[in-house]
Amino acid sequence: MRVTKGAQIVAGTALLALAVAACGGGASETGGTAAGGGETPVRMELGEPQELLVPSNTTESEGSETLAALFEPLVNYDENKNAVEAAAESITSEDQKVWTIKIKPGYTWHNGEPLIAQNYVDAWNYAANQENAQSAGYFFGRVDGFADLNPGEGKPVTAKGMKGLEAVDDTTLKVTLTAPFSQFKVMLGYTAFYPLPKAAFGADGKVTNEYGEKPIGQGLFKMDKPFKKGTDQTIDMSVYDKYPGAKPKNWTKLQFKLYTNSDTAFNDLQADNLDIHDSLGPAAISTAKATLGERYQDQPDAGVGYIGVPLKYNDELNKVDIRKAISMAIDRKTIAETVFSGTRSPADDFINPAIAGYRQGACKACTYNPAEAKKLYESAGGPKKLEIGYNADGPHKEWIEAIANNLKANLGIDATAKPFEKFASILDELDSKKYKGLFRMGWAIDYPSAENYLSPIFSTGAIATGSNYGGYSNKAFDDLIAKGDQAASVEEGLKFYQQADDILNEELPYIPVYFYRNNSGYSSKVKNVKINLLNQVEWADVEKV
């Protein structure tokens, strides 16, 4: 998933040795009112979603932010990172293998139909079926019958659905897992577990493009008009009158404005032409506090910024010592303090400190040691040239170029930064296994668990239907994740997840660079803006001034 958008480097640092260049690409041209005129909407900065707006095919935060406004998850998360029922009235299990989910009364789809348990069965079976190639299909791998919907490439699917899913009645969903999983309830706030209405499916049983352009949800907002990806510059919504939860007090229109440049969005924010920018880069941060005052927010964030490694698709990077050398050649402290104006901290684990399971210094090769890095790189026969891809729709240019300069100076190689126009573009290249360079990647959690930093990104099963863009596969890692999943308690499971984390810290399938903080700002036209644990705005709390 996309996490907060990066940095503008401060000139004059000898280590980083970068010239400050003006970022190209202005904001998308956007209107000031919602579709149909009338009320001026609350406007939020967003990058273009990678795919059409289908929950089970959305694994990045541009699309997730959009869908979170349209759908009500089964659970949300409180300040203590505990799952609390939202669309669910209760979620119970006696053995952590068979789960009963009762749906809270009062929820209806935006077309007026009632929300029923079968809507979850239909959505989850669609997501899990390999023939539908949904990017979040991996998250249903623990449900009994997932294997029947995933017989393997070239083999036809003969099952109609997962036998572990049953709509007992209109308000009761029964889920049977293949093995106990203590954190199943915690997962259920993630986008992939949203339901789908009957109207989402065409005669062929597939989710239609029309639905992906104008999703019918059961959440706070409904779509005003279809979103034409690649053409439209805004995504326009209105409050759904029949939503049973809390609603904004004095506004009904929401507009996501699509930008290709974070600095342009910040300029619009200062001019009150944009109301919320939740991923300020350090170029903006350096002046945001003075410019915005109390309207600037700096708060803890559970995200991790990485350099990704295409292990399965580039044999030159397969040696662990090469990756360790690259990691030790990166001056995380200077990048965090100088490029990011102190709004990041150097990463030393694959698990963020905000989540239980983090251990300080767990990644030994994350310690800056340029002399040892060069020696190790040369003895391992590291490549003479390295390219690092990054998405230019967020201001990542400066920190990626800083790393490239670290590698040049400390490893004695030709290291270059390669921009991709949009985050969606680099994800598409990685999905199709076309890009073989190192790549900028970030992870914003889907749900508050150490497991979420591990299996969705690095397990073997996540290569085909998850977010394992590097193609990393390690049986010992997978086995430890399975033991953690099946542990008798969350605390017992964490021990196994940490052992799996130890493998990542030793093998470095990705290279952790920094831990995020959420740096956001809002206009003088709104107040009470809150960003939650999933880096999403709590819309019902936002007020117009």
Side-chain angles (χ1 to χ4, degrees), residues 138 142 180-184 187 349-351 355-359 447-456 476-505:
Y138 163 82
R142 297 178 176 88
F181 180 43
S182 62
Q183 301 189 68
F184 180 66
M187 293 179 69
D349 194 4
F350 279 79
I351 299 171
I355 301 298
Y358 162 77
R359 293 160 298 164
Y447 44 90
S449 167
E451 179 272 337
N452 189 236
Y453 294 97
L454 308 175
S455 54
F477 174 85
D478 293 339
D479 289 346
L480 285 166
I481 293 296
K483 289 179 180 179
D485 290 354
Q486 297 169 35
S489 67
V490 172
E491 293 74 21
E492 186 67 24
L494 187 57
K495 298 177 184 178
F496 292 108
Y497 294 143
Q498 287 178 324
Q499 291 176 42
D501 181 46
D502 286 338
I503 292 176
L504 298 183
N505 282 309

Side-chain angles (χ1 to χ4, degrees), residues 309 311 317-328 332 348-351 359 361-367 376 454 458 472 474 476-477 480 497-512:
V309 185
L311 291 176
L317 300 170
N318 271 342
K319 289 184 180 179
V320 173
D321 282 351
I322 292 175
R323 302 194 295 276
K324 285 184 176 179
I326 293 171
S327 180
M328 289 189 293
R332 292 166 174 80
D348 55 359
D349 194 4
F350 279 79
I351 299 171
R359 293 160 298 164
C363 176
K364 305 303 182 187
C366 291
T367 300
L376 192 61
L454 308 175
F458 302 110
Y472 174 72
N474 182 303
F477 174 85
L480 285 166
Y497 294 143
Q498 287 178 324
Q499 291 176 42
D501 181 46
D502 286 338
I503 292 176
L504 298 183
N505 282 309
E506 177 62 29
E507 296 201 341
L508 295 181
Y510 279 10
I511 298 170

Side-chain angles (χ1 to χ4, degrees), residues 220-479:
L220 174 56
F221 293 94
K222 60 182 178 65
M223 294 285 285
D224 285 342
K225 62 185 181 68
F227 167 61
K228 300 294 183 180
K229 179 176 159 57
T231 301
D232 287 351
Q233 308 300 314
T234 65
I235 302 174
D236 298 293
M237 305 179 182
S238 298
V239 168
Y240 177 51
D241 289 340
K242 295 182 180 178
Y243 174 68
K247 302 182 184 71
K249 294 179 180 178
N250 53 359
W251 60 278
T252 64
K253 297 286 187 179
L254 173 63
Q255 182 181 78
F256 291 106
K257 297 178 68 172
L258 307 187
Y259 287 83
T260 59
N261 183 276
S262 182
D263 293 339
T264 306
F266 182 58
N267 290 337
D268 278 356
L269 182 72
Q270 294 177 91
D272 277 348
N273 293 323
L274 179 72
D275 296 307
I276 301 172
H277 190 340
D278 72 338
S279 53
L280 296 176
I285 291 168
S286 62
T287 61
K289 191 169 185 179
T291 304
L292 302 178
E294 294 182 353
R295 294 183 285 114
Y296 166 68
Q297 299 182 106
D298 178 10
Q299 62 189 50
D301 186 288
V304 183
Y306 312 98
I307 295 297
V309 185
L311 291 176
K312 192 173 182 179
Y313 320 115
N314 188 339
D315 292 339
E316 288 187 323
L317 300 170
N318 271 342
K319 289 184 180 179
V320 173
D321 282 351
I322 292 175
R323 302 194 295 276
K324 285 184 176 179
I326 293 171
S327 180
M328 289 189 293
I330 298 172
D331 188 351
R332 292 166 174 80
K333 186 174 185 291
T334 299
I335 290 173
E337 292 178 354
T338 306
V339 177
F340 288 108
S341 302
T343 61
R344 304 289 185 270
S345 58
D348 55 359
D349 194 4
F350 279 79
I351 299 171
N352 184 288
I355 301 298
Y358 162 77
R359 293 160 298 164
Q360 186 176 8
C363 176
K364 305 303 182 187
C366 291
T367 300
Y368 185 51
N369 190 338
E372 181 62 25
K374 186 171 185 179
K375 185 189 305 182
L376 192 61
Y377 195 80
E378 290 176 348
S379 65
K384 300 298 183 184
K385 292 184 177 182
L386 286 175
E387 182 177 89
I388 312 174
Y390 68 95
N391 54 299
D393 60 345
H396 299 292
K397 177 179 186 287
E398 288 76 17
W399 77 269
I400 292 297
E401 287 193 350
I403 288 179
N405 277 279
N406 281 164
L407 302 185
K408 285 179 186 178
N410 297 329
L411 301 180
I413 63 172
D414 180 12
T416 58
K418 175 183 171 60
F420 287 76
E421 182 183 6
K422 300 175 181 179
F423 190 43
S425 302
I426 194 169
L427 290 179
D428 290 341
E429 288 279 310
L430 292 167
D431 278 336
S432 62
K433 303 169 181 58
K434 292 179 181 178
Y435 188 62
K436 296 186 177 181
L438 299 172
F439 51 91
R440 172 263 159 188
M441 186 54 61
W443 186 255
I445 62 169
D446 306 312
Y447 44 90
S449 167
E451 179 272 337
N452 189 236
Y453 294 97
L454 308 175
S455 54
I457 322 174
F458 302 110
S459 69
T460 302
I463 295 174
T465 57
S467 297
N468 189 344
Y469 294 109
Y472 174 72
S473 180
N474 182 303
K475 186 178 184 302
F477 174 85
D478 293 339
D479 289 346

Side-chain angles (χ1 to χ4, degrees), residues 74-75 85 88-93 99-102 184-185 188:
L74 286 166
V75 302
E85 286 77 2
E89 186 171 69
S90 64
I91 302 173
T92 57
S93 177
W99 295 80
T100 300
I101 302 170
K102 298 288 291 185
F184 180 66
K185 178 179 177 179
L188 296 177

